Amino acid sequence: MKSSGGSIVVADGLESDAAQVRRAESVRKVAAALARALELGVELVHVESLSKFGGPNLRLLFDDYREQQMGELKEHAAEMGVPAKPTFVFGEAVTELLRIGGRKRRPELIAMATHGRKGLTRIVLGSVTEEVIRNSRAPVLTMGPKAKDWKTDSLRPGASRIVVGTDLTRSSQRAEEYAVRLAKRIGASVTLVHCLNESFHPVLQTAFRTSRRTTEL
């Protein structure tokens, strides 16, 4: 069954760090598997910051740099095993990804890796993934540094499961509905998870943190 979504957008950072390269490969693998299951194409997007080309002397390197990056994008697209279009954009990553996610014909989802930064590093560098998640009009699929490698047969009908965290309010409704729609299309099951403790008053949350009280829930 074909989807009404146009494509799966994959944010490819073209990273050089070995760990980040492996994570980017995993994201592309997941996106390709979903694209096959949903009969969609893939748009492989790299957003390059214009700040790299702020000096007048760097202008001479601009075209060669873009050609080199596009060559790497095309290689990644060719390796995905599904129709994939490489796109190279200059700008800020959050702005451009939100623009793509807000198109009239919105993508099925945006897939991207996250570095999983914490503390001061996260405050100083910011979090592109978090900003996209908070503001995107399209669903966002992310893969963090501790995610396990994707198994190629994970999307066989009946072999996959979608876990949805819900607070049982209208805030979770759209996520629940999308999970159910996606599960039907790929033959997956859905598990809804609700943490009872989160709905308690803070005083009760503290009271139920003891091991003896936890079993009473």
Side-chain angles (χ1 to χ4, degrees):
M1 179 175 65
K2 292 189 177 181
S3 166
S4 58
S7 63
I8 292 176
V9 171
V10 180
D12 195 336
L14 300 180
E15 305 282 4
S16 57
D17 177 78
Q20 295 174 17
V21 168
R22 288 194 297 272
R23 195 151 57 248
E25 290 174 349
S26 295
V27 171
R28 292 195 297 272
K29 190 184 296 185
V30 172
L34 283 171
R36 280 191 291 270
L38 299 173
E39 300 183 22
L40 296 172
V42 171
E43 184 175 1
L44 202 60
V45 178
H46 174 70
V47 182
E48 188 68 63
S49 173
L50 283 169
S51 61
K52 285 189 177 181
F53 304 93
N57 295 331
L58 294 179
R59 178 64 186 175
L60 297 176
L61 303 177
F62 178 87
D63 291 336
D64 288 343
Y65 181 83
R66 183 181 186 282
E67 184 176 346
Q68 176 187 342
Q69 298 292 78
M70 270 299 292
E72 189 172 348
L73 265 184
K74 289 177 180 178
E75 288 180 7
H76 290 172
E79 294 168 355
M80 295 192 72
V82 295
K85 170 188 173 185
T87 301
F88 188 96
V89 180
F90 285 100
E92 295 304 321
V94 172
T95 301
E96 293 302 322
L97 290 173
L98 291 179
R99 179 185 61 80
I100 291 171
R103 290 172 180 166
K104 185 175 181 180
R105 184 173 175 79
R106 286 197 294 274
E108 173 71 33
L109 56 84
I110 298 174
M112 57 195 305
T114 176
H115 296 102
R117 296 188 180 100
K118 297 180 180 179
L120 184 60
T121 303
R122 183 171 176 277
I123 293 173
V124 174
L125 298 177
S127 173
V128 171
T129 306
E130 182 175 341
E131 286 299 311
V132 173
I133 290 173
R134 288 182 181 276
N135 297 288
S136 176
R137 297 180 64 188
V140 181
L141 180 152
T142 67
M143 179 168 287
K146 295 184 179 180
K148 295 183 179 179
D149 289 337
W150 181 261
K151 296 179 181 178
T152 55
D153 62 348
S154 296
L155 285 183
R156 293 196 328 271
S160 54
R161 179 165 58 112
I162 299 175
V163 178
V164 184
T166 175
D167 62 2
L168 303 180
T169 71
R170 293 184 62 182
S171 299
S172 301
Q173 185 174 346
R174 293 181 68 189
E176 294 163 6
E177 291 174 347
Y178 180 74
V180 170
R181 290 198 304 271
L182 182 60
K184 288 180 178 178
R185 291 156 61 195
I186 65 176
S189 62
V190 174
T191 299
L192 292 173
V193 178
H194 173 67
C195 181
L196 183 61
N197 193 59
E198 293 297 319
S199 63
F200 287 170
H201 185 280
V203 173
L204 288 177
Q205 288 186 22
T206 303
F208 276 99
R209 283 199 181 104
T210 64
S211 57
R212 184 171 61 86
R213 291 295 183 185
T214 300
T215 58
E216 297 178 13
L217 289 176

